[in-house]
Amino acid sequence: MGAYPTGVAIVTMRTRDGRDVGLTINSFASLSLDPPLVLWSLVNHSPNLEAFRDCAHFAINVLADGQEELARRFATPAIADKFEGVAVAQAPEDLPVIAGALTVLVCENDHSRTVGDHLLMVGRIVRTGHQPAAPLVFHAGRFTALQAAA
């Protein structure tokens, strides 16, 4: 699968007790245009599985080129507070969203289903934000950027 280039995103949510949770994903895709649905997956042994499965909303923060450090930070289990020192804004749905993200998709948790060793999460997009920038890309085990067409 490393030969397939993917975008990089951080999915964020807030638990009922007010704790912000976020993690880096690259298993993310558009699922439907009508209604607008997206799909992402989370490994079954994730310590955040229950929080995401039971949340009302989550945000997909698609990272821009130059946000590799954020991707690494939110992918590192040893970092207890992934949000410490990270610029975030608050979505009206009471979610943290990553400042400077290329695109933010605020989603209602439509449903989830366990398939193999992952929980598939389907979100219905309720709000979007976008800024012009190049996307951060992951390919062949490393972060990279898209090259402009000649």
Side-chain angles (χ1 to χ4, degrees), residues 130-144:
H130 181 75
Q131 63 180 358
L136 182 62
V137 176
F138 193 75
H139 178 251
R142 64 182 180 88
F143 292 100
T144 186

Side-chain angles (χ1 to χ4, degrees), residues 7-22:
V8 182
I10 295 171
V11 62
T12 56
M13 57 84 65
R14 181 165 291 137
T15 63
R16 290 187 181 124
D17 65 358
R19 181 175 60 94
D20 290 345
V21 178

Side-chain angles (χ1 to χ4, degrees), residues 15 19 26 29 71 78 84 100 107 114 125 137 142:
T15 63
R19 181 175 60 94
N26 66 350
E84 183 179 351
C107 301
T114 300
I125 300 170
V137 176
R142 64 182 180 88

Side-chain angles (χ1 to χ4, degrees), residues 113-130:
R113 178 177 179 202
T114 300
V115 178
D117 62 358
H118 278 68
L119 178 71
L120 298 181
M121 298 286 300
V122 176
R124 180 184 297 260
I125 300 170
V126 297
R127 178 180 324 286
T128 65
H130 181 75

Side-chain angles (χ1 to χ4, degrees), residues 25-45:
I25 62 171
N26 66 350
S27 59
F28 163 68
S30 172
L31 182 61
S32 170
L33 294 177
D34 187 18
L37 300 173
V38 293
L39 171 76
W40 66 281
S41 66
L42 182 60
V43 68
N44 285 339
H45 60 74

